[in-house]
Amino acid sequence: MIRLNDILDGIHSYLPDTDTSLIEKAYIYSAKVHAGQTRLSGEPYLSHCLATAYILAQLHLDLASIAAGLLHDTVEDTLASLKELEDMFGKDVAQIVDGVTKLSRISFESQIQKQAENTRKMVLAMSKDIRVLLVKLADRLHNMRTLEYQKDNKKVKIARETLDIYAPLAGRLGIGWIKSELEDLAFLHIYPEEHQRLRKEVDARLGEAKAYVDEVKDLIAKKMDDFGLSCEVVGRPKHIYSIFRKMRTRKIPLEEVYDLIAFRIIMKSAKDCYEALGIVHSLWKPIPGRFKDYISLPKTNMYQSLHTTVIGPQGKRMEIQIRTEQMDLVANQGIAAHWLYKEGKIVSKDNKHQFDWLFELTEWQKELDDPREFIESVKMDLFHNEVYVFSPKGEVYEFPRGATPIDFAYAIHTEVGNHCAGAKVNGRIVPLKYQFNNGETVEIITSDKHFPNRDWLKFVKTSRARARIRQWIKNTERQNSLALGRDLCAREFKRHRLDFNDFMKNKGAEIAEALSFKTPDDMLIAAGYGKIAPSQIIRKLRAGQPEEQEPKEKESKTKKFTEKVEQEGILIHGLNDILIHLGRCCTPIPGDEVVGYITRGRGVTVHRENCANIKKLDPDRRVEVTWANTDNTTYPARIRVSAVDQKGILAAVSNAISAGEANILEAKVSTTPDYLAILDFVVDVKDRPQLRKILSSIRRLENVKLAKRVSPG
């Protein structure tokens, strides 16, 4: 267990003359409020606070950060208040603690929403004070080190969140050792069997490679000495998760991972680094396309190094990194190696661009209401390999791998993106979905006649571009829905012999408010989307007035509509009197998880939650739906059976369906060259459990290979 003296010794190693009374005071307070609390391991809860503070001291952070590390759980897990912390430890410490405090006192609809809101709060807090993220990373690192005490399902959930959010954030800040340890610990708990097997295989190979590593280090050191260059040569194995990721991405066995060990040459100056690169390339043949110069083009997290891959002794591939001592420090400590902030604020104008990603996170998080979309965008923005391209003026832009001219256009300005008509790469016209390669020069062609379209969302890679495209589409659809809603309401008012223009002028605001809309335009937009029917507006207008005879046409429509609702058996939360359709693309049946999508002027279409089509549609137009009482209603479901092609198989499968009390609406039979019969049926069922029983009965038939539910087409 970490002791207070360990933390104080760590602080004095880089701040020798500092008064540490704030840390001692925070320790005493944390011990007092956490008294009697224990962790799942049985250790006092204070051990976690001490370990978090110790990690922050390892990062050489300021006293406010370390004090916040000792106090980071006091507001969430004890009776302490932020006001009390501010009075005792100052505004800085209190704000950092507030930034890392989870939103545990708020009720959320789902776990994904809770995760999204916690991440959202952290993004906002760290944009104001980057130390919030550093404390959060230290907190998460110690929790991951002690994760074995959690239940299995919670282990996997925490580990997955760590791999998706926190490890990439550590990478963005350039803190390599925390990123690597978080990834390895997450890998251990998400894929325990793969971790154990791979760890054993890697250790065996590293043991065999010890002599080889020593040989390479001696060769490099001797060659540098021959040229009068002072250096330190290190041979370090890659961390286990990076090996696993390479094997999975490239679909190769461990035997084909040739660069298990990365050699690092530490030089005295940048000039020496380039000279050392030439010496390495004269010693061993470099592999074309495997050289990267991060000294002249640093990564946004301040990382600088020369990377090259060569064919070394015994014909083995070797990755070699060449950097200075300061660059090596930054590669491991990231932002913590530079005092770029004062009281949490970045103060160096030269380094401000290195945190553009953070400011963009802050900007577009305000625009994304859907929690799934927000979490997806965070992952996309944090977890990528970089590609560097140039503007015609020579400015460098960094993008995720796979970025396109549309991403580049929106990086320049929103209006450039909104009117992007084409692009040139290295002077050659390319498609808008063209994916950049390192070092290319990009020029965007604009036109006032060109606008975003939904297809762009299929290939853009940056969250900025995705958010701006969705915003433009949403605004455009809003205007279209306003025009459509106005037209629908005007026609309905005319049919009821009412003056629509007079209504909008004198009663529009009142009726809109009565229907829970902020403005009359919002009410018309809802009518255009199909969220409300124009007849609802008229009924609300006539509420309290003597009832009038409805036109005959209206009566027939109402009757038809009522029958439709009963047939579909769907309830829509928050909406009444609206046409409902079941999606033909996925044919939902009771028991399926379903979601509604508001179509413009045509009511709501109900899809299965995992339907591929609903995932492509505007999330702002989704509504919550549930199945109503469906005792006497049946629904079509498609099933496919694969069986040995022999006499009687069609009859046997048909009998199994009939025995399950389902009616066959459609049947189609085809055969394959390998003597299999493919039987496609559309059956009428009441719900998912009935369909599951039918499929189970079919699978038990002799010679049936496969029986499953399928979507149309």
Side-chain angles (χ1 to χ4, degrees), residues 264-387:
R264 191 169 300 157
I265 307 174
I266 311 298
M267 309 300 296
K268 295 296 183 184
S269 67
K271 175 178 171 292
D272 289 350
C273 290
Y274 287 101
E275 192 171 345
L277 176 69
I279 294 169
V280 168
H281 283 178
S282 69
L283 189 59
W284 297 297
K285 185 179 179 180
I287 296 175
R290 297 289 296 168
F291 169 67
K292 293 176 183 176
D293 184 351
Y294 292 120
I295 292 180
S296 59
L297 285 174
K299 292 187 179 184
T300 52
N301 61 13
M302 300 174 286
Y303 178 88
Q304 288 183 288
S305 187
L306 298 176
H307 288 197
T308 187
T309 303
V310 298
I311 304 296
Q314 303 173 28
K316 294 182 179 180
R317 288 190 179 198
M318 303 187 308
E319 181 183 308
I320 297 177
Q321 302 167 356
I322 307 170
R323 61 181 71 145
T324 66
E325 291 178 3
Q326 178 62 21
M327 292 173 191
D328 193 52
L329 177 65
V330 172
N332 286 290
Q333 301 290 86
I335 184 179
H338 282 287
W339 287 97
L340 293 179
Y341 52 85
K342 183 179 181 182
E343 297 178 353
K345 305 294 190 294
I346 300 163
V347 295
S348 170
K349 291 182 181 178
D350 295 335
N351 292 298
K352 250 187 176 181
H353 70 279
Q354 294 165 343
F355 293 91
D356 285 347
W357 63 273
L358 178 53
F359 301 136
E360 282 200 13
L361 268 179
T362 309
E363 180 184 345
W364 55 254
Q365 65 83 28
K366 302 171 188 173
E367 301 170 9
L368 302 178
D369 296 324
D370 183 77
R372 285 183 178 84
E373 186 183 343
F374 175 69
I375 290 295
E376 175 193 337
S377 297
V378 169
K379 293 176 186 176
M380 180 183 7
D381 220 52
L382 295 178
F383 212 0
H384 62 253
N385 295 319
E386 299 87 353
V387 60

Side-chain angles (χ1 to χ4, degrees), residues 448-463:
D448 290 341
K449 296 180 181 178
H450 280 76
F451 304 99
N453 67 68
R454 195 174 292 278
D455 286 342
W456 289 5
L457 294 171
K458 296 176 183 177
F459 55 80
V460 294
K461 292 295 181 183
T462 60
S463 54

Side-chain angles (χ1 to χ4, degrees), residues 89-264:
F89 304 101
K91 189 174 182 180
D92 251 18
V93 173
Q95 285 182 343
I96 296 172
V97 172
D98 185 37
V100 296
T101 299
K102 294 176 183 174
L103 304 180
S104 56
R105 296 184 180 89
I106 299 177
S107 175
F108 295 104
E109 295 175 7
S110 64
Q111 184 59 40
I112 189 73
Q113 186 180 8
K114 184 173 183 179
Q115 183 192 27
E117 291 307 320
N118 281 326
T119 307
R120 207 184 283 270
K121 183 178 183 186
M122 186 174 67
V123 166
L124 287 171
M126 71 191 191
S127 67
K128 296 174 184 174
D129 191 332
I130 199 67
R131 293 172 296 182
V132 168
L133 180 52
L134 296 170
V135 175
K136 189 67 182 176
L137 286 173
D139 167 46
R140 179 53 62 111
L141 179 57
H142 184 250
N143 280 332
M144 288 299 295
R145 286 173 176 175
T146 55
L147 195 59
E148 70 268 20
Y149 298 103
Q150 294 282 358
K151 293 180 180 177
D152 287 345
N153 62 334
K154 198 164 184 183
K155 278 185 199 175
V156 174
K157 184 181 83 67
I158 294 171
R160 174 56 63 188
E161 183 181 64
T162 299
L163 200 59
D164 288 346
I165 304 293
Y166 292 99
L169 279 170
R172 275 294 197 171
L173 292 183
I175 311 174
W177 70 274
I178 288 186
K179 175 180 181 289
S180 298
E181 188 174 347
L182 286 176
E183 287 179 339
D184 285 353
L185 289 168
F187 176 37
L188 169 65
H189 293 289
I190 297 173
Y191 306 107
E193 293 178 2
E194 288 91 337
H195 181 278
Q196 184 179 11
R197 176 183 54 77
L198 189 57
R199 178 82 275 170
K200 188 176 180 180
E201 291 179 10
V202 168
D203 287 346
R205 285 192 62 188
L206 291 176
E208 296 169 3
K210 187 178 185 307
Y212 181 83
V213 172
D214 292 339
E215 178 189 353
V216 171
K217 286 167 63 177
D218 289 343
L219 280 170
I220 294 174
K222 185 177 183 306
K223 199 72 173 176
M224 295 299 164
D225 189 54
D226 290 345
F227 281 84
L229 293 176
S230 175
C231 73
E232 177 190 355
V233 186
V234 180
R236 292 181 180 173
K238 289 195 169 183
H239 68 103
I240 191 78
Y241 179 71
S242 69
I243 297 170
F244 171 75
R245 186 169 53 206
K246 177 174 282 192
M247 290 169 59
R248 187 173 58 175
T249 302
R250 299 186 183 177
K251 297 179 180 177
I252 58 175
L254 181 64
E255 291 71 28
E256 294 180 32
V257 180
Y258 301 110
D259 52 351
L260 282 182
I261 298 168
F263 292 92
R264 191 169 300 157

